[in-house]
Amino acid sequence: MSILGRRRADLRIYLGAAPGVGKTYAMLGEAHRRMERGTDVVAAVIETHGRRRTAQQLAGIEVIPPIYIEHEGTRRPELDVDAVLARRPQVVLVDELAHANTPGSRNAHRWQDVEVFLDAGITVITTVNVQHLESLNDVVSHITGTAQSERVPDGFVRAADQIELVDITPEALRRRLVHGNVYPPEQAAAAMEDYFRPGNLTALRQLALLWLANQVDAALEKYRSDKKITDTWETRERVVVAVSGGPESETLVRRASRIASRSGADVKVVHVIQGDGLIAISPQQRKVIRELAASLGATMHTVVGDDVAATLLDFARGNNATQVVIGTSRRSRWARMFDEGIGAQVIQQSGNIDVHMVTHPEAHTGSSWSRQSTVRRSVLSWLVALVIPAAICAVVTWLPAGMLGIGSQSALFFTGVLLVALLGGLGPAGVCALLSGLLLTYFLVSPVHSFTVYDSDSVVTVLVLLLVALAVAALVDWTARRAGEVRRAAQEAELLASFADSALRDADPTLLLERLRETYTQRAVSILTAEGSLLAAAGPDPCADVDAADTAIEVGDHEFWMLMTGRTLTARDRRVLSAVAEQAVAMLTQRH
């Protein structure tokens, strides 16, 4: 199966944690199996290092003689690229992928020779040790105390169609050394006390396993994306913990880390920014949580969505998470009677994802009307607009006759209208005012049980009640809209701060695009020149055509485009994206 879907000839790599684990032997065994099936196989480079069993495996395989390069008075054998291309086999064996060629060779590195074969349509089987991977070179040098000058780019190895780990326990490898199957006996004793110490071999083995596990994760993620699979596959434990930025956030992150440590799971900390900006996190809080997550081996992510529960679960499914950790509600028992809360919604919609509800000192400390969902606030506002006038009318009717005059009664209804305006805005307040006027006229103004009013003072009182109540409701509604705009501005500022922080820390436009893709749940993000040249991209199959993009944002003076594939974004999202796109283009221009 292809790791990243190469379109050239196939590349198969045998990966080892250390010399002597049996990579070359395994490669030769694969060559014999293919030859038995009728495949044309040749060996371009095979390093036996004097190992008898490896040399025996080479028997029966055609070997392309090396080419000798003169350098500093010596003749050194190197892979003869032209001879292999002229022979043009179906499969070529190339040992020691990270080898640095002698100056004067066709290419500076052997992995570049392999690229030539792949471009020519020749399948390559090769070997490499984990200490030669570019990303692990310094780590291995620190562990073993031996610097490795020969390296191969991780991207080249990741692009292989097949990567097979040749694994052996440290004890078994040291026995091979003792028996002389790795180095000559005179070298084996020194090697066992130096590079091949048990601790070194265990660490190298773990590095190889972890590196390959990440490659398998990448292959699985691409397959799920290509096949549009959203169900969770429990191939590996992953824990997503949701934080709001409140005082309980650190408790949740630590709890999630303890849950993950039991199964060696990855931890992702996610903060959901609501579209109305109601739940925000300050830069100071973000810094504290990010540093805590980093200290626990977790990563922090930010996503945008109006529905917090759905957005959180979409993120979890997109990352193939198996567990979600959330805090218990801070709202009181009375508030939960009207709105069950995000936690209950997550549990109901989680499907086969396990949900952990974590208690904390802030649980059940109170409620905020602003934390109610938009739909629930609207429904409750209209319900209150109907209930409050009826309740006031019932109370006033129950009181002894003559206890309250028309002015006092009107003031009570006026207060009810103000309350509804604060909760629901102009629409519910208008209905409440109209209903209050009708109830006041029918039940409390003489003659009762009739809409006929003979007293001019009562008529003026009722009309003034309606007009003043509506005027105040309009003012309250305008204030609420302005507050909403402020909250949305705060949301945009939080997003921009998050992206600016990422740009300053990573200084990599590709990582910035990856943050954009993740935050807005897009499949891919790309930046193109006006002529259509791809400058940077994140995600599978990035869009290279403005007309084919789901969201297209012009950057600069018709010079660049940022294209997105995925859900279509709102105009408010585009404002933020335009600013971030300008930053990404500036980073690309500066790097160029």
Side-chain angles (χ1 to χ4, degrees), residues 534-574:
L534 183 65
L535 299 180
D541 301 322
C543 186
D545 184 2
V546 175
D547 295 332
D550 295 308
T551 301
I553 297 175
E554 191 175 13
V555 186
D557 189 14
H558 304 286
E559 296 179 355
F560 303 94
W561 285 92
M562 185 167 75
L563 308 181
M564 292 184 162
T565 54
R567 65 181 181 89
T568 303
L569 302 179
T570 64
R572 189 169 67 246
D573 294 329
R574 289 169 178 265

Side-chain angles (χ1 to χ4, degrees), residues 240-243 268 270-272 303 305 307-319 321 324-326 342 346 353:
V240 168
V241 52
V243 298
K268 294 181 182 293
V270 60
H271 170 57
V272 180
V303 292
D307 188 329
V308 175
T311 303
L312 173 61
L313 289 172
D314 286 344
F315 176 86
R317 294 188 181 102
N319 286 273
V324 169
V325 177
I326 55 178
I342 294 173
V346 170
I353 299 177

Side-chain angles (χ1 to χ4, degrees), residues 298-364:
T299 55
M300 187 169 180
H301 309 263
T302 302
V303 292
V304 175
D306 293 326
D307 188 329
V308 175
T311 303
L312 173 61
L313 289 172
D314 286 344
F315 176 86
R317 294 188 181 102
N319 286 273
N320 204 28
T322 55
Q323 302 180 64
V324 169
V325 177
I326 55 178
T328 52
S329 176
R330 281 184 274 172
R331 294 176 299 110
S332 66
R333 182 188 306 172
W334 293 106
R336 293 199 304 276
M337 293 177 61
F338 297 98
D339 186 353
E340 57 192 353
I342 294 173
Q345 296 173 39
V346 170
I347 292 173
Q348 292 172 2
Q349 303 171 27
S350 62
N352 56 355
I353 299 177
D354 296 334
V355 180
H356 300 268
M357 294 285 290
V358 177
T359 58
H360 51 84
E362 300 297 320
H364 315 315

Side-chain angles (χ1 to χ4, degrees), residues 83-267:
V84 174
L85 293 176
R87 171 65 174 75
R88 200 167 187 82
Q90 291 177 286
V91 178
V92 62
L93 310 180
V94 179
D95 210 358
E96 297 190 355
L97 178 66
H99 172 76
N101 293 335
T102 301
S105 301
R106 174 169 175 162
N107 296 300
H109 303 280
R110 185 165 289 170
W111 63 266
Q112 294 172 323
D113 297 336
V114 169
E115 275 197 314
V116 173
F117 298 151
L118 295 173
D119 289 335
I122 302 173
T123 294
V124 178
I125 304 178
T126 186
T127 65
V128 70
N129 281 328
V130 70
Q131 68 262 30
H132 294 297
L133 296 174
E134 185 70 54
S135 64
L136 300 178
N137 185 265
D138 56 342
V139 179
V140 174
S141 297
H142 180 72
I143 292 171
T144 64
T146 303
Q148 300 290 339
S149 58
E150 297 179 324
R151 288 169 254 182
V152 60
D154 285 58
F156 181 82
V157 180
R158 289 192 187 103
D161 296 272
Q162 298 179 64
I163 302 177
E164 182 173 329
L165 179 65
V166 182
D167 190 29
I168 185 173
T169 64
E171 294 78 12
L173 180 53
R174 285 170 59 85
R175 283 198 298 271
R176 285 187 179 181
L177 280 165
V178 171
H179 297 153
N181 295 329
V182 179
Y183 295 132
E186 61 273 14
Q187 299 179 17
M192 291 180 66
E193 297 302 322
D194 185 18
Y195 193 93
F196 288 83
R197 293 194 301 269
N200 286 0
L201 297 178
T202 301
L204 292 174
R205 187 186 188 203
Q206 185 174 19
L207 279 176
L209 290 168
L210 290 174
W211 190 92
L212 188 60
N214 287 335
Q215 304 315 115
V216 174
D217 285 345
L220 179 61
E221 183 177 347
K222 182 178 186 302
Y223 178 82
R224 284 164 51 85
S225 175
D226 291 343
K227 301 297 182 182
K228 295 180 173 56
I229 298 171
T230 57
D231 292 338
T232 299
W233 286 4
E234 299 181 17
T235 54
R236 182 179 179 184
E237 291 291 326
R238 287 183 179 83
V239 178
V240 168
V241 52
V243 298
S244 65
E248 78 281 359
S249 298
E250 295 178 52
T251 301
L252 296 179
V253 174
R254 291 190 178 95
R255 178 60 173 155
S257 177
R258 291 196 295 272
I259 292 172
S261 65
R262 298 169 186 165
S263 56
D266 294 334
V267 179

